[in-house]
Amino acid sequence: MPKYSLIESKLRRYLYLGHEYCIYVPPSIRTSFWKENHHDDVTGVRIIGKIVKKNKTEEINSIVPIILKIKKEDKLLDDRLLIFALAVCARFNLEPCVKMVADAYAAVSTICTDGLKLLMFVKFIKIADNILFDQGFITIMSNGHGRGFAKSMTNWYLKRDPLLTTEHIVRNKCYDGWSHKDVMKLIHLHSTEPCRIMYIVYTLSGIEKVEKLFGSKMKDVCIEDIDETFENKQLKFIYNFLKQVENIKKMDEHALRYEIELNRWGKEPEVIPQKMLKSSTILTSLVMHLPLEKLLENTFFFAKNRLFNNSTPDVGLWEYILRFNNSILLKTSQIHPIEPFIQYAKYARTCMNILKLQNNIMKKEEEKSVIESIDNKLKVIVKLQKTPDKEEVNDVNQNQPSNFYMTKPVPKLVDQLMTFLSEDLVKKTCEVLDPLGLRIMITYDSRICMKASMCACSRLIKEPGCIGSDSVDSDKKDIPQVYPHMSFKWAKENNKEFDVFVFLGNNKMNLRLFKRSMKGYQTHFKNPVKIILLCLNGKHYDQINLGRRNTLFIIGFDKNVGKLINSFIKDDF
């Protein structure tokens, strides 16, 4: 078992879970679930701020190296909180923090590995400033971004491979109000190297200015010529890349499909125009080239755009299914079995969600404002042609609209895809999981009343028309409590030794005897155990005492739960 310092333990919990204790709330409900002082950005500032407040130089200077260490491990589900923590470290304008601030800005190029992450850091700088001041960790707000910021941004743009930098800038142009153009203007970015001048000019002024400055020169450059200078070849590569990106906007479906296959746009599709993402030809091409984890994540998107119900449904459907047949690729993608189940749940509710939207539209009064509010995905315009007779005779109808609106039919679910997501892919991903070599006992509350208190993801899988049909206990105001500590009692009485206990229940779990029973079980077998408690329907009255020591408390459910449980068991946090 890894031994982390107290500071590293706190940072690890925060970067993995968004909380200072071992408590996980899915990001989608985090801001509505917690009060503002427990939002993950405030929590991150508070954790780092308390370390700084102790005024121990060694501890302060250990924060950024810990962040870099966790980044190097590459086990986080995403880097958002990692980048935010780095931004917090960079904004402490206090004397004991001089080295931490310098280290934070120096780490930007290591942590922000692409253009999107760089823009996230820039955005988080301002958020960190405000929270640090509001929480009293700094007394003077910075008037600007500062020299350290400008130097770190300049290094990111000018000290990386020029072609790679160009690709990052083009693929991730903006994030939450910030763009690379904004950053370059802010730091007055300039260079004397032609390769870097080209992508700076493109970002600030567009392709026309690039053509004006470099177009004529590029015609004479031959990449295949062994006598051509490396700088000219590199410049030509960047020029061609920018031209390809601009040409995508003018392509038809078939040309774009070829371009996707030739130039890897399928693996990084950010440059593809949104209007093209409704074409079954383009969608099928993306299905054939997206990384598996991104393909699975976009299942609902493909379904909404009727890829699985187009004129040749087998094309989109079977290309999708066949992509997951490569067991080696499936293993390297590290897809957890919970993830296809979540996608199945979302897909299974497609029809009901759209039907509900249509019904809400129909219930409204037929006014012009209502017609305009109808979702374009559901709207069909039917144009009416006036006959000559009506035009001459019936003057009353001259001002009547010449078209009316109908809603599209509800899309049908594809049984093969339902079976694949809920059974086949779950089985495939189970087979490629690395075994933990641990004895795990899983207990869950199987009472009918649990169906009335599920989390959002669990509710997704209720069959259409059956909502509320299993309400045997729905008229009972007090749902009987369950006692998770009985798992320890049963295991002890039956001499069953486990390393991990998992219990799925709701906020009616009675945990008063939980710690005592756990301690008795550990003493009996002389073996420490890990506990995972899942409360599927929200806050628990004993929540303040949960998420300590060897217990992970999960509130709700999402695709990350399986991987987080694995990380917890492996002592990653």
Side-chain angles (χ1 to χ4, degrees):
M1 178 184 292
K3 296 295 183 183
Y4 303 122
S5 67
L6 181 60
I7 290 175
E8 184 169 351
S9 294
K10 287 182 178 180
L11 286 171
R12 282 180 173 274
R13 287 195 293 265
Y14 172 67
L15 297 177
Y16 275 88
L17 306 171
H19 200 277
E20 55 192 310
Y21 298 114
C22 280
I23 297 176
Y24 176 72
V25 178
S28 59
I29 63 171
R30 203 168 280 171
T31 53
S32 59
F33 181 85
W34 294 118
K35 292 181 180 178
E36 190 173 347
N37 63 329
H38 285 298
H39 288 179
D40 54 37
D41 51 6
V42 179
T43 298
V45 169
R46 186 167 58 246
I47 290 171
I48 296 172
K50 286 181 178 179
I51 298 170
V52 171
K53 212 167 185 179
K54 291 180 181 179
N55 205 25
K56 294 182 179 180
T57 305
E58 186 178 344
E59 292 185 353
I60 294 171
N61 293 340
S62 71
I63 298 174
V64 174
I66 290 171
I67 291 173
L68 287 168
K69 175 185 175 183
I70 295 171
K71 171 64 178 178
K72 188 176 181 180
E73 292 172 357
D74 195 27
K75 294 179 181 178
L76 293 174
L77 299 181
D78 66 64
D79 284 347
R80 188 180 69 85
L81 293 179
L82 191 82
I83 297 168
F84 181 77
L86 193 70
V88 173
C89 291
R91 302 312 284 177
F92 272 94
N93 52 11
L94 304 174
E95 188 175 342
C97 301
V98 172
K99 187 178 187 307
M100 179 182 74
V101 171
D103 289 347
Y105 281 127
V108 168
S109 290
T110 303
I111 300 293
C112 302
T113 52
D114 59 43
L116 178 63
K117 291 175 182 176
L118 182 77
L119 295 178
M120 289 172 75
F121 178 79
V122 176
K123 174 68 178 181
F124 294 159
I125 284 285
K126 189 62 180 175
I127 296 174
D129 275 343
N130 292 332
I131 299 175
L132 280 166
F133 183 76
D134 291 341
Q135 294 285 313
F137 291 113
I138 58 174
T139 55
I140 301 174
M141 284 278 284
S142 176
N143 292 327
H145 285 80
R147 291 182 181 178
F149 172 85
K151 183 179 179 182
S152 67
M153 296 297 106
T154 302
N155 287 342
W156 194 93
Y157 285 116
L158 300 185
K159 290 193 175 182
R160 305 161 72 85
D161 177 79
L163 179 57
L164 187 62
T165 304
T166 306
E167 291 178 356
H168 284 324
I169 291 171
V170 170
R171 288 193 169 107
N172 303 112
K173 290 186 176 180
C174 57
Y175 173 78
D176 201 6
W178 280 93
S179 68
H180 290 286
K181 183 176 182 179
D182 297 329
V183 180
M184 288 184 181
K185 283 185 174 181
L186 185 65
I187 63 175
H188 306 291
L189 185 68
H190 65 277
S191 175
T192 57
E193 298 178 46
C195 289
R196 302 190 188 280
I197 292 173
M198 183 178 285
Y199 64 69
I200 293 172
V201 168
Y202 176 79
T203 305
L204 294 176
S205 305
I207 193 67
E208 295 81 9
K209 189 71 177 287
V210 172
E211 287 275 17
K212 186 177 179 181
L213 292 176
F214 296 97
S216 59
K217 301 175 186 176
M218 291 297 96
K219 293 177 182 177
D220 299 327
V221 177
C222 180
I223 296 173
E224 289 79 15
D225 187 352
I226 58 174
D227 295 324
E228 191 67 76
T229 65
F230 174 76
E231 185 182 71
N232 282 344
K233 288 182 179 181
Q234 193 176 44
L235 197 63
K236 182 78 172 184
F237 274 119
I238 294 172
Y239 179 78
N240 287 342
F241 175 79
L242 294 175
K243 291 288 288 182
Q244 288 168 1
V245 171
E246 291 298 316
N247 289 338
I248 285 176
K249 303 171 186 175
K250 308 169 187 175
M251 291 180 179
D252 59 23
E253 292 180 3
H254 297 289
L256 179 54
R257 179 171 186 170
Y258 177 75
E259 186 71 16
I260 289 172
E261 295 171 357
L262 183 67
N263 288 303
R264 302 179 294 108
W265 301 126
K267 293 182 180 178
E268 297 178 2
E270 294 84 0
V271 298
I272 298 175
Q274 287 294 316
K275 63 180 181 180
M276 282 294 193
L277 295 179
K278 295 182 180 180
S279 159
S280 60
T281 300
I282 301 305
L283 290 177
T284 302
S285 185
L286 288 177
V287 164
M288 295 168 67
H289 295 90
L290 279 174
L292 289 190
E293 59 273 23
K294 192 171 283 190
L295 175 60
L296 181 62
E297 188 179 320
N298 283 282
T299 301
F300 190 61
F301 168 79
F302 291 127
K304 281 198 301 183
N305 286 282
R306 289 174 167 77
L307 177 66
F308 307 122
N309 288 99
N310 53 33
S311 57
T312 53
D314 288 346
V315 175
L317 173 63
W318 292 114
E319 288 293 352
Y320 177 94
I321 291 175
L322 287 172
R323 281 297 312 283
F324 296 92
N325 276 355
N326 187 325
S327 59
I328 297 175
L329 194 60
L330 192 61
K331 185 175 179 65
T332 56
S333 70
Q334 296 184 322
I335 294 173
H336 192 278
I338 283 175
E339 295 176 69
F341 176 80
I342 293 292
Q343 291 302 323
Y344 155 71
K346 290 175 68 176
Y347 179 64
R349 293 292 293 159
T350 304
C351 286
M352 284 301 294
N353 288 342
I354 294 178
L355 182 60
K356 183 178 179 181
L357 177 59
Q358 289 181 346
N359 286 338
N360 289 339
I361 292 170
M362 297 304 182
K363 287 177 184 177
K364 295 180 181 178
E365 295 180 1
E366 295 182 359
E367 298 177 359
K368 186 176 181 180
S369 59
V370 175
I371 293 296
E372 290 174 350
S373 70
I374 296 178
D375 191 318
N376 287 330
K377 293 185 181 67
L378 304 177
K379 189 161 57 179
V380 178
I381 301 176
V382 181
K383 293 185 178 180
L384 303 176
Q385 292 184 348
K386 295 180 180 179
T387 62
D389 293 342
K390 287 184 179 178
E391 286 180 357
E392 293 175 4
V393 178
N394 194 353
D395 294 333
V396 178
N397 292 329
Q398 291 296 317
N399 295 324
Q400 295 296 316
S402 59
N403 54 48
F404 66 93
Y405 297 91
M406 297 178 64
T407 53
K408 294 178 182 178
V410 176
K412 296 179 181 178
L413 294 175
V414 179
D415 291 337
Q416 297 99 316
L417 184 60
M418 295 269 284
T419 301
F420 177 72
L421 289 173
S422 63
E423 298 178 21
D424 300 342
L425 191 52
V426 171
K427 182 181 178 182
K428 286 175 182 287
T429 49
C430 281
E431 289 173 348
V432 297
L433 277 180
D434 290 325
L436 295 171
L438 298 172
R439 298 158 294 187
I440 303 175
M441 179 178 181
I442 302 175
T443 314
Y444 63 95
D445 187 349
S446 61
R447 297 174 299 167
I448 293 177
C449 63
M450 274 294 289
K451 294 185 179 181
S453 59
M454 291 179 179
C455 68
C457 286
S458 300
R459 289 196 185 102
L460 286 171
I461 61 172
K462 288 186 177 181
E463 291 297 326
C466 295
I467 298 175
S469 61
D470 289 332
S471 57
V472 175
D473 294 330
S474 62
D475 57 340
K476 296 181 180 180
K477 294 182 179 179
D478 295 321
I479 299 174
Q481 293 184 331
V482 291
Y483 301 89
H485 72 269
M486 297 300 291
S487 300
F488 299 119
K489 183 179 178 182
W490 178 89
K492 183 178 176 181
E493 290 176 350
N494 290 274
N495 201 33
K496 301 289 185 179
E497 189 172 359
F498 295 99
D499 302 297
V500 182
F501 285 82
V502 181
F503 190 88
L504 292 84
N506 60 16
N507 58 5
K508 294 295 183 179
M509 293 184 291
N510 189 315
L511 303 175
R512 284 180 297 175
L513 301 176
F514 189 80
K515 288 184 179 178
R516 185 193 304 174
S517 299
M518 177 185 69
K519 189 175 180 180
Y521 180 86
Q522 291 182 134
T523 302
H524 177 76
F525 286 104
K526 297 179 182 179
N527 179 41
V529 297
K530 285 184 174 288
I531 315 297
I532 295 105
L533 285 169
L534 287 92
C535 183
L536 296 177
N537 68 330
K539 295 183 179 180
H540 192 281
Y541 60 87
D542 200 29
Q543 197 162 293
I544 193 171
N545 297 316
L546 298 172
R548 266 62 165 190
R549 296 176 184 171
N550 56 346
T551 303
L552 171 62
F553 184 56
I554 297 173
I555 302 157
F557 196 87
D558 71 353
K559 66 175 185 177
N560 298 328
V561 167
K563 289 181 178 177
L564 286 174
I565 289 176
N566 276 353
S567 293
F568 174 68
I569 292 173
K570 293 177 179 178
D571 294 309
D572 290 334
F573 59 86

